[in-house]
Amino acid sequence: MDYIDMLLKIYMEIMFTEGGGSLIKLVDIVAGYAATLLLAALARNSVPHRNTSSVNLMINEGNAVVIDWGFAAGIFDIYNELSHDESENLSQLLDLVNAKYSKKRSAGGYVFNETTPKPGRLGPRRGAGGGVRGDVDEFGRERRSRPHQRKPYDRPNRGPRGAMHAGGRGGSAGRQDEASDIESRLSSLIIKVGDKNTPTLQNNLEALSVVLEKDYTKHERTVLRTFRECVLELPWKVTVYSTLAGLLNAKNNETGGKVVSLMHQVLRRELTKGRWGSVKVLMRFFALLVNTNTISASTLLSMIDTFLKPVATDEGSDVVVSVSGNCYVYIAMSTLLWAGHALKERVPQELDRRIQLVRRYVDEVAEYNKNNSLAVVFHDAPPKGTNALASLLDTLGAVAAKEWKIDTIFSPYEMFASEFSQATAHELPVLELPTDLAPAAFHTPSECLQLVLSPSDQTVHRYILQDLITDTVVQLETNRKDCAKYILQIHGLCNEDICSVMTTAQHPDDADPETSLVFEYILAEVVVSTLLQLPDSMSREMYYTALAVELRKAEPQIMANVFETVVDNIVARLKSVDVECINRLSNWLAVYISNFNFQWDWAKWESVAEEPENSPKRCFVQETLLKLVRLSYLDRIKSLLPESYAPLIPAKTPSHNFKFTMQAMDERTREVSVAMGKCLKNKGTADQAMEILQENYSQWSDIDEDTRQSLAREMLVEHVLLLGSKTFSHMLNAIEKFLPALQRFNDTSEAKLQIAKVTEDFWLRHSQFFVITIDKMITYRVIDSAAVLKMLFDLSHVGNWCKFYHWEILRNTVNKLNLRVAQLRSRLDAAYAAASTMADEADGSEQQQPADTIEQVEAMLEQMVQEQKDIVISATRYFVQLLSSANGTADEMDRAWLLGRFKEFMRTYRTLIVENAQTLENVVFTAEASEDARLVFDNIRALCA
C-alpha cells in the first residue's frame, strides 16, 4: 500500500462551482484522483462504485460537494490510525476509512464544519485532541496573514464590495480568480500525469480524461495550449499523451478531433519554419495515435509519404539523394519505428513497401558518401555513410524482428484497448513540405556516439533511450534547469529491468555499463554526443556545458564519475577524433571544471607532458589548462596540478611583450619612445601623439618616407597597446582614444598588415588579450579581415597550427562579417517596409527620403557581401596553398592539424563555399591543389547537394 500513502499525503481539495454543479479540482494527478474519491465518498457517507478496471465515483449533478481543509485534516487523522495491511486495494481501504469515520463521527470525536476557513500557506494545525486550530501555525506561533506568501487557492473570498465570504467568491474579480485557479490546476494535471510508471497510472489517466472532457468547453484554450506544450517539450512522455488524446477522443469525438486538429496545425507550422526537432517529435505523436484509433493507418501513411515523396522518382524504383532528402527520410524512419506495430497489424504490405524505399535510399547514401568523413567524429570508426540513417535502419530491422514491439517505454494505451476499439478515427489534411528553405536549413542526421561500452544485445533499448533523451535536450534548450530535471526522470517510464539506475540503486558503484544499460551513462553519452555532433551541434556549445553542470548539481557524486569516465574514453582516442571536436571538448571541459572548484583527477594525464608538443592529447590538455587560467588565475591552477605539468602552463602570469624597453633601443629611438610614453601617461590626445611622431621621425634623414611611416606606425601601436594592457576595459579605452591617430596610419593594406603583426608580437605571451584586441581592431576598422588572414597564414606560424587561439581569431573574423551582412539585410527589409508604408499613406507628394535610405543600405550591403565573398575565397586559398606546399607544414602531425582546421572551416561556412563553388573551382582548386584538399572540397559539395 505504499502508493496509497503517497497518494493521500500530497495536496488535495474539492471545490464546487456556483449554481450547484460539482467540479473536481485536483492539485496533483497522482494524489488528486484517489483523494477525491476518498473525501467525496466520506462526505456522502457512502462507498464509491467499483469495477474491475478502476474505481469510479457516482455524483449527482444537482448536489454540490463542499469539503474544506478542516475536513481533510480529520480524514488524515483517521487514515494515519489505520493499519494498511488490512486492505488489498483502494476500494477496501475506502471501506475501512468510511467505517472508522462513521464511528468517530457518532462518538463526537470530529466535527467537520463546511464553513471552517481555509488555512494559510502551511495548512491547519491539529491539536492533541484531534481538533483543528486555525489560529496558530505548525510551531504554535500566532498565525499572521502574509499575502505575498499565499498560493492561488489561499486567496480570501471577497464579495462584490470586498466583504469576506466563507462560502464562495463574489464579483467579476472573484470569478476570474477562480477560473484562473481551475486553469492552473488543469495545466498542472496534464503536465504531471505519467511522470513515472506506477500501478496507478491507468486510474490517473482515466480520471484526468474525465476531468478534461467535462471541463473542456469551459477551458478549451488552456487545455489545448498545455497539451501542445507537453507534447513538444516532454517528448519522453509521448506514449502517455497519445493515450490521453485517445481517451479524450473515445469519450467525446469532437473533443478528440480538436486536439488532433491543433497538433496537426502545429506540425504544419513547424514544418514551414524548418524546426525539425519539433517535427520529429510531432510525427512520433501521430504515429502512436494509430494505436488509440484516433487517426487511421491510412492517414499516417499519407503523412509519411509526404516526407518520402521527394526522395523517390516518378517510377518509384530509384531514389534521389539530397540534403533535404536525408532530413525527410530520417523523420520518416523515426515515425515508422513507433508506428510499425500498428501498421504491421493493419496494413503490413504498405509498411513493407515503405521500408524497402528507405532501405534503398540509405544504401544509396552510403555509396554516395563512402569516402566522406566530414561528418564523422571518430575517424577510426567503421564508415556507414550517413551514420544516423544506417544506424536507424539497423534499429528498424531489430525491432521488425521482434514483431515491431517496443518494450523499452511503458505503453499505457494497451490498458484501454476496449475503449479505443469503439472510438472513431479522424482524417487529416495532406501535409505540405516547405519549398523556400535553403539546404543549410535542413537537419543533418547524426548518430549518437557510443562513448561507453554497452551490451550488444541491448541496441534497441539503447537507441530508444538515447533518442528520447536527445529530443528532450533539443526541445528544452531554452531552460537548462528544467531540461536537467526532466531527463533525470525519463527512466521512470521505462519498463522493468530495461536499464540500471545508479541514482536509485542501493549500491551505485556496482552498476556496470558493459553488462547492462546504465541510465546515467546513456545520459552522459547523449549530452557529449550532441556537443560533438557534426557538421554542426544542434545548440550552442555553452548550453551543453550548462546542462552538464545542472546534472552534476542534481546528482553530485554519480554524475561527476560518469562524466569523468566519458571524457577519459574520448581522450584515450584523441588521435582519431576530428580536430573541431577536440576544440569543442576542451572548451566544454574547462567551463565544466570551473563550476566545481576546478577539481579534476589530473594525475592520470601526467604522461602527456612527455609527448610531442603538437600531439593531440598534449594539445588538448594544454589548451584546457590555458582556458582554466582564463577562468581563474595562474597560481590557483598551478596549485592544483602535479609538478609534471610545469611544461604545459606558463611559468609566470602572461603579460605583454613591449618592444621598446630601455635596453633594446638606440638613442634616438629611446627619445621618441620616452616622449610617446610621457604623452600617453599624461593623458595626451591623438593629435599630440601624432605631433611627437612627426617632429621626431622627420629629423631622421637617413631613411626613406616609407620606412619613416613604418617606424612611426610601430611606435604608436606599441604605446597604445601598452596603455591598454592593464585590463580589457583599458584596452578598449586606449583604442577609442587614439583611433584617429591609428586610422591615419592604416591607409594601405601593408599598413594594416603591419598593425596586425605588431599586435601579435605585443601579445605573444597572452593569447586571450591577442584574440580580443584583434577583434576590437576589426570592429573599429583599424585593420580589416584581409590583413588578419595574411597575419594568420604567414609562414612564421608553420609548426604551430595546433594552437587553438589561432583559429579562434579566424572564426571571429568571418563571423563578424556574416553578422554585418545579416544586420544590413534586416535594415534593408525594414527600409523597404517603411517605404511601402509611406507610399500607402502619401497623398501624391514625393517621398525621396525612404528611396535614398534604401539605396544607401543596398550599397553598403553590396560592399559587405563582396567582402564576405573575398574573405571566404582568400581563406580557402591560403589553406590549399599551405596544404599543397612542402613548406606549409613542419611534419605529418602539423599537417594533420592544418587539414583538420581546413575541414572545420569548410564545414562551418559550407553555405558560402557552395555559393562560390565555381569561383573556387577556377581559382583555388586547380591542378596544383593537393589531393586531400580537393577531396574536402568535393565532400562539402556533396554534403550540401
Side-chain angles (χ1 to χ4, degrees), residues 433-447:
L433 297 177
T435 58
D436 56 346
L437 294 181
F442 289 92
H443 171 63
T444 302
S446 180
E447 183 182 16

Side-chain angles (χ1 to χ4, degrees), residues 20-275:
S22 61
L23 172 65
I24 300 175
K25 294 175 61 178
L26 312 180
V27 177
D28 188 289
I29 187 58
V30 177
Y33 186 48
T36 298
L37 291 175
L38 176 64
L39 295 179
L42 296 177
R44 294 176 174 276
N45 198 18
S46 61
V47 178
H49 173 72
R50 311 175 187 80
N51 57 36
T52 56
S53 62
S54 63
V55 183
N56 295 325
L57 178 62
M58 312 300 294
I59 301 178
N60 295 325
E61 287 294 330
N63 299 322
V65 179
V66 184
I67 301 174
D68 58 27
W69 280 95
F71 185 93
I75 295 301
F76 277 144
D77 281 348
I78 296 172
Y79 176 78
N80 290 331
E81 294 174 10
L82 285 173
S83 172
H84 301 161
D85 296 334
E86 299 172 20
S87 57
E88 296 293 333
N89 52 45
L90 178 59
S91 297
Q92 293 182 18
L93 181 64
L94 289 172
D95 291 341
L96 292 172
V97 175
N98 187 46
K100 191 107 177 180
Y101 165 72
S102 300
K103 183 177 179 180
K104 287 270 188 181
R105 187 178 186 186
S106 62
Y110 289 102
V111 178
F112 301 138
N113 188 349
E114 292 181 353
T115 61
T116 301
K118 293 179 182 180
R121 177 180 175 88
L122 298 173
R125 177 174 176 83
R126 297 186 294 274
V132 179
R133 294 184 59 190
D135 59 333
V136 295
D137 61 15
E138 75 278 17
F139 302 108
R141 301 174 299 198
E142 181 180 354
R143 188 181 300 280
R144 297 180 181 177
S145 175
R146 293 183 175 87
H148 64 280
Q149 292 182 344
R150 288 177 180 151
K151 296 180 180 179
Y153 50 79
D154 289 305
R155 293 175 185 149
N157 302 318
R158 297 185 180 273
R161 296 186 180 180
M164 301 296 294
H165 292 268
R169 295 187 176 116
S172 60
R175 286 192 293 272
Q176 290 175 0
D177 286 345
E178 183 176 0
S180 177
D181 291 349
I182 295 172
E183 292 177 353
S184 176
R185 293 171 186 273
L186 287 175
S187 297
S188 178
L189 296 179
I190 299 173
I191 293 170
K192 294 182 179 180
V193 66
D195 279 347
K196 293 184 179 180
N197 179 9
T198 62
T200 60
L201 181 55
Q202 179 181 2
N203 288 344
N204 294 339
L205 283 170
E206 175 68 26
L208 181 57
S209 66
V210 170
V211 173
L212 293 180
E213 192 273 331
K214 183 175 182 179
D215 295 330
Y216 178 81
T217 55
K218 300 176 183 177
H219 309 287
E220 176 179 354
R221 201 171 166 189
T222 298
V223 173
L224 292 178
R225 184 189 68 249
T226 307
F227 208 95
R228 177 196 67 210
E229 292 173 352
C230 286
V231 172
L232 285 174
E233 298 182 9
L234 302 177
W236 57 280
K237 293 202 293 185
V238 64
T239 57
V240 174
Y241 292 118
S242 60
T243 302
L244 181 58
L247 287 172
L248 289 174
N249 183 63
K251 295 180 185 300
N252 188 319
N253 186 257
E254 182 180 355
T255 301
K258 289 183 178 180
V259 172
V260 173
S261 178
L262 169 72
M263 301 312 296
H264 193 266
Q265 292 175 13
V266 175
L267 175 59
R268 287 186 295 176
R269 182 195 67 196
E270 300 300 290
L271 266 174
T272 303
K273 296 183 177 180
R275 296 173 180 168

Side-chain angles (χ1 to χ4, degrees), residues 659-660 664-676 691-716:
K659 178 178 180 179
F660 298 109
M665 296 182 290
D666 55 35
E667 185 62 30
R668 61 179 184 176
T669 302
R670 184 182 299 112
E671 291 179 2
V672 181
S673 179
V674 170
M676 282 292 295
E691 289 178 4
I692 293 174
L693 294 174
Q694 178 66 26
E695 179 181 348
N696 284 273
Y697 284 110
S698 62
Q699 301 176 8
W700 294 18
S701 57
D702 57 334
I703 58 176
D704 57 26
E705 182 61 25
D706 290 341
T707 305
R708 187 178 296 111
Q709 288 292 318
S710 176
L711 292 175
R713 185 182 301 114
E714 182 182 27
M715 180 67 70
L716 174 65

